[in-house]
Amino acid sequence: MINIANYIERITAKPVFIVLKKLLILGIGAFISAISYNELVIPYNLLSGGINGIALIMQYLFGFPVYIVMFLLNIPVFIWGLKSLKKEFLIYSFIGNIFLNIAILLTKGLLPIPHVDIFLASIFSGVVGAIGGGIVLKSGMSLGGLDIVGMVLKKKKNISIGSVSFSFNVFVIALSLMLFDLKIALYTIISMWVGSKVTDSVLDGLNRDKSVIIISEYHEEIAKRILEEMGRGVTYLRGEGGFSHGEKRVINCIVNHYEIAQLKGIVNKIDTFAFMYITEVIEVAGKGFTLKQNKKTNRKRVF
């Protein structure tokens, strides 16, 4: 028998600041998501993905309050996840789900309904809802619902979370096609698509950095100018030409989006025949990006 009280006691034993910070994030995320439901989704009879989409269908058809149906539908989901997922994650997510339902109740009628066409409502319902859910997910928690189902199936059946989300959303759309006008389903698809893109942006960060690979005979001069003019570190990689089998020194450098033009200018001035390719990186940690130099030891990292 799983003793939830032990896990709650373990969480509360952590520093109060950490617990309060997590609860604050859950509260903010729940409030933003609730605004999306009350101001853009429900007034325009739109749906959302996952379990919450089923709750909305129940409200539209039978008049059941969406926050009550959301809570009731999430109870078996959390019980199902007890044996598979980390209990701390589940407890915070359960609290987040309660926060969301309370926020939906409290924010109803809090703000005037915006008078926009349904197309704009579908876009911005996806944007606002994804911002609320995204900041919670980025902190390692959730507001319940399909996130829990996806994580359990990923662990038990090795089914990707994306596949679970897509399949369930297809089910919600199919239901809406049978029960409501075609335009509701189409606008809901727009909202879901926009929401998925905004969620990715929240999780990955809006300012994506770039990883640059440069292959040139003038690698030393290029590296020197990158260090001096851009203040970015470089790393030498050892390579071998596939045709010539000659040894080559490859420059690897991480820069932000705004520095790409300057980097290209440096390379092109030195070697117009240099081979260079650029890829996006999701996250960078280290000196010059997330770590600051230790002033006490004055220790510097060498790349």
Side-chain angles (χ1 to χ4, degrees), residues 92-233:
Y92 276 119
S93 298
F94 186 70
I95 294 172
N97 185 255
I98 293 175
F99 280 5
L100 174 61
N101 293 315
I102 293 174
I104 291 175
L105 174 61
L106 295 180
T107 58
K108 184 177 181 180
L110 180 65
L111 299 173
I113 305 299
H115 297 289
V116 296
D117 60 71
I118 192 171
F119 178 69
L120 287 177
S122 66
I123 291 177
F124 283 97
S125 66
V127 171
V128 178
I131 291 174
I135 61 176
V136 172
L137 287 173
K138 192 169 185 177
S139 300
M141 301 176 288
S142 81
L143 297 176
L146 199 58
D147 297 330
I148 308 295
V149 176
M151 293 177 71
V152 172
L153 290 178
K154 171 65 177 176
K155 192 167 185 178
K156 286 188 173 183
K157 304 293 184 181
N158 198 29
I159 302 174
S160 71
I161 295 176
S163 297
V164 174
S165 178
F166 176 78
S167 300
F168 207 95
N169 288 342
V170 167
F171 173 70
V172 172
I173 294 299
L175 273 180
S176 69
L177 285 172
M178 292 186 290
L179 300 172
F180 307 108
D181 292 339
L182 173 63
K183 70 175 184 178
I184 296 298
L186 296 178
Y187 284 125
T188 297
I189 291 173
I190 293 174
S191 178
M192 289 178 177
W193 184 83
V194 171
S196 68
K197 296 302 179 183
V198 175
T199 300
D200 289 342
S201 296
V202 173
L203 294 177
D204 299 338
L206 295 176
N207 295 320
R208 290 194 174 183
D209 298 307
K210 311 289 183 179
S211 175
V212 184
I213 293 292
I214 305 167
I215 303 174
S216 170
E217 295 180 2
Y218 304 95
H219 50 267
E220 290 185 359
E221 187 177 350
I222 292 173
K224 182 180 179 181
R225 289 192 59 179
I226 292 173
L227 287 165
E228 292 178 352
E229 297 179 22
M230 300 183 64
R232 290 298 184 191

Side-chain angles (χ1 to χ4, degrees), residues 236-280:
Y236 283 126
L237 307 176
R238 295 191 178 277
E240 180 181 337
F243 178 76
S244 65
H245 297 288
E247 183 176 324
K248 295 181 179 293
R249 300 191 74 181
V250 180
I251 298 173
N252 180 222
C253 179
I254 305 293
V255 298
N256 63 45
H257 175 76
Y258 303 102
E259 294 172 325
I260 287 294
Q262 183 181 1
L263 179 61
K264 286 181 178 180
I266 290 174
V267 174
N268 289 332
K269 285 180 181 179
I270 297 173
D271 183 6
T272 56
F273 295 100
F275 179 80
M276 176 171 58
Y277 68 89
I278 303 167
T279 57
E280 283 191 344

Side-chain angles (χ1 to χ4, degrees), residues 37-151:
Y37 282 110
N38 281 326
E39 300 298 317
L40 296 166
V41 175
I42 296 174
Y44 290 90
N45 294 318
L46 295 171
L47 297 173
S48 65
I51 293 175
N52 294 345
I54 302 298
L56 287 168
I57 290 176
M58 297 290 286
Q59 172 165 312
Y60 297 152
L61 291 179
F62 307 109
F64 298 146
V66 66
Y67 51 89
I68 294 178
V69 181
M70 281 185 186
F71 178 73
L72 293 176
L73 291 178
N74 272 279
I75 290 176
V77 171
F78 280 103
I79 294 174
W80 187 40
L82 282 175
K83 293 183 179 180
S84 302
L85 304 178
K86 292 182 179 180
K87 305 307 178 292
E88 182 176 334
F89 168 79
L90 279 176
I91 290 172
Y92 276 119
S93 298
F94 186 70
I95 294 172
N97 185 255
I98 293 175
F99 280 5
L100 174 61
N101 293 315
I102 293 174
I104 291 175
L105 174 61
L106 295 180
T107 58
K108 184 177 181 180
L110 180 65
L111 299 173
I113 305 299
H115 297 289
V116 296
D117 60 71
I118 192 171
F119 178 69
L120 287 177
S122 66
I123 291 177
F124 283 97
S125 66
V127 171
V128 178
I131 291 174
I135 61 176
V136 172
L137 287 173
K138 192 169 185 177
S139 300
M141 301 176 288
S142 81
L143 297 176
L146 199 58
D147 297 330
I148 308 295
V149 176
M151 293 177 71

